[in-house]
Amino acid sequence: MDIYWAAMPNEIISPLKFDNPSPAIKYFPKPSGSNTNKCPAMIDYHKNTYALTFPMAYNLTIAQDGEVHTGDYTREILEHLLTIRDQADKLYSLNFNSLFIAEQPCEIEVFTPTTVKNSFVKNTFLVPGTYDIGEWIRPLECAFFVDKEGAQLTINEGDVWAYIRFKTNEPVNLRRFFFTPEMHPLLSDIARSVWPATKNVRKL
């Protein structure tokens, strides 16, 4: 099955900085003297499962009151890269979005990378989800909660932040394309056809 994907452009970072999703099994530990990574059950679990990685390094401090601070770059850049979805509950989105499209019905599942350890995975709870990329075209976003006490997030370029699983028995062939400005109105129209305008999401 061909699945087309693109990094969503923004004003801060080029789509060329986004790596191709790589097989999640690549990140499974390979202990010396063990065949765990060759276990059929483990291999089947990782079937059609890929890792999404961060395209840049960034450090964020999220205070107990939900305010976000950083010593990296400027406040304007922070406003482009981060959306506060609910400050009281510490729900945020990092705006490193990707788009996946299938030519036939195919569900995509987004979940925390269970075999990866890094600062982001350790200090956040990724919002999971499943939707049909053959029926519903929408960007996949990095939405997450942090602990009520706040968190220090050290993000390195290339760090894994999510696993995605294509729920099909067919082999998946990922084909990259580049998103153009002419595509934005179409995505906006699709979103408005399903969801009402969100009132409580704010920028910094």
Side-chain angles (χ1 to χ4, degrees):
M1 175 185 292
D2 286 339
I3 292 178
Y4 302 87
W5 82 277
M8 298 295 293
N10 63 48
E11 297 183 35
I12 301 302
I13 187 163
S14 166
L16 297 176
K17 291 287 291 180
F18 287 74
D19 289 334
N20 293 320
S22 56
I25 199 169
K26 167 184 173 182
Y27 299 93
F28 192 83
K30 299 176 179 60
S32 176
S34 171
N35 291 322
T36 304
N37 62 316
K38 298 179 181 179
C39 171
M42 186 278 301
I43 292 173
D44 189 59
Y45 175 82
H46 286 88
K47 180 179 179 180
N48 289 337
T49 302
Y50 293 82
L52 299 181
T53 59
F54 285 119
M56 64 178 288
Y58 208 47
N59 293 293
L60 297 171
T61 299
I62 300 175
Q64 190 170 358
D65 63 2
E67 284 292 332
V68 182
H69 308 277
T70 180
D72 293 350
Y73 310 110
T74 65
R75 190 73 179 180
E76 181 183 8
I77 289 177
L78 178 61
E79 290 174 356
H80 281 292
L81 294 181
L82 186 83
T83 299
I84 296 177
R85 307 192 70 83
D86 190 318
Q87 183 170 321
D89 285 332
K90 296 187 176 63
L91 172 61
Y92 309 88
S93 287
L94 279 166
N95 301 319
F96 301 130
N97 300 342
S98 298
L99 185 68
F100 293 87
I101 304 173
E103 294 181 324
Q104 61 193 70
C106 177
E107 287 192 340
I108 186 174
E109 179 183 4
V110 186
F111 57 101
T112 294
T114 51
T115 58
V116 169
K117 288 185 178 181
N118 58 45
S119 175
F120 181 81
V121 172
K122 179 181 177 182
N123 291 290
T124 66
F125 172 70
L126 191 71
V127 177
T130 301
Y131 62 96
D132 193 329
I133 57 174
E135 300 288 342
W136 170 235
I137 300 174
R138 55 157 290 180
L140 187 157
E141 66 177 85
C142 178
F144 61 95
F145 291 91
V146 300
D147 188 80
K148 290 293 183 181
E149 300 302 317
Q152 175 70 45
L153 303 182
T154 301
I155 294 170
N156 298 303
E157 183 175 343
D159 277 355
V160 176
W161 64 268
Y163 280 169
I164 54 173
R165 176 178 290 125
F166 300 105
K167 302 175 80 170
T168 175
N169 289 323
E170 297 182 36
V172 167
N173 179 32
L174 290 178
R175 301 174 64 89
R176 186 168 190 167
F177 71 97
F178 288 90
F179 197 85
T180 65
E182 291 80 11
M183 297 177 184
H184 277 291
L186 176 60
L187 282 187
S188 297
D189 288 344
I190 292 172
R192 286 197 301 270
S193 71
V194 179
W195 300 106
T198 304
K199 297 180 180 180
N200 62 339
V201 173
R202 73 173 180 87
K203 290 291 186 179
L204 295 164

